Amino acid sequence: MGTPTVQYYDRRAASRVLARLAAPGLFGAVDAPSASRITFRTTALRPEPGTALTQSQRMYLERFMRPCRPDQVTSATHRLTWTDSAGIPNTGYFHTAGAGPRLAVLARETVLALWRSLSASGLPERSAALPARERDILAATTTDHDPHEIFRVGIEATGRALVQHGLIAADTPYRGIVEFARGINDSGIFTAVATRWFWELQASTFRRGMIPVRLVTQPDGCVRYSADSIAVLRAMKDATIADAHAVMARATTEEGLDTEAAVAKYHDDLDLISRQYALLPADARPTCPAATQHDVDGASVHILAAVADRFVETFAAVADSVEVVEDLSEELATTVPGGDDSVFYVPDMSCRHCVRTITALLESMQIPVVEVDLESKRVIARIRSPRNRLRVFEALRDGGYNPVDEVSAKAPGASVG
């Protein structure tokens, strides 16, 4: 199917399509997690002198988070790496005063369990039967176009939001990561992320181990964003929308392009996220399509609530069965003689926007891309030498990603007990 025209851009209609697909039940049975043991390694972050932020965090803040101030941001203290039960490499962050490293590992195992449940729910078959017009609406409106991929990304985004808020778990009255997960859900924080953040801010700050909000405990024991946090999130979202609208206004007025031609010409300036904002009607406030409640055949469907509830329920089961321990042995070598320089992994690649960004970066360096596989996080590219490989890794880190080599990715991380 070719690229759909922008006439199909309709956030409300896209939300209805997803709700109808989810109405029969978004998840199948979730198998009881088997007893397993996962090991992880940690590395302390090195903030710039006199600050709490690393250079990468500061640069992202200054370039993309205006008007957010450094004092409004909490940074992780450590980065962790591990191989999950599916054999896929992962990276994450934690704060020593926050929820700790187990949260990220167990959230990833929860994502894997719910992905399996999603595939068993009948959703792939319902998605395949979608009318062409509804497929065009999703393709024109959402970052990931296939419904199964959209829901998979939604599950992963739920885990990402939980882990990111773990950096500020000290703001909450909750003790233990299961109580923390339940408290975050009961407090409506997952909904706050979907409605108050914009997608790229949440994904990019997560990849850099930072969060620009604070939590305040309410008399009923729930937590809410502070008034200062709500104000800065709105200001950052408004700035992003304004930037996207400015690009479109210049293209359609000064250059005389129609909307579709403007999107095509300035695709890189807008990218797949800001493009969605560029097409918003004036004064419209975008939210995640999953955050809207719909009536489907007389039944109320709220996708975000269904995903968050099942995520926390599954997370609690996973926490009871998966042992997570730190590997304190000597660091494994990251390369071996005869290793394949053309294969590496990007564990924090989470959606088609990431795929496009990584592909564009490699191609801008004149490095042909053979494959970027979202599920396995694997990248195959024609890298000419170890020196070029180092350049690629440095460029990806500048973009907020944390690439790892093939040997590290295959290091043992999980075993069934």
Side-chain angles (χ1 to χ4, degrees), residues 288-326:
C288 171
T292 303
Q293 188 165 311
H294 292 278
D295 182 84
V296 180
D297 297 331
S300 178
V301 177
H302 193 287
I303 296 171
L304 190 149
V307 171
D309 289 347
R310 182 61 68 91
F311 192 98
V312 172
E313 174 189 334
T314 307
F315 179 85
V318 168
D320 281 340
S321 63
V322 178
E323 181 186 7
V324 181
V325 296
E326 185 172 4

Side-chain angles (χ1 to χ4, degrees), residues 17-33:
V17 171
L18 296 176
R20 187 165 60 78
L21 287 170
L26 195 53
F27 296 104
V30 178
D31 295 334

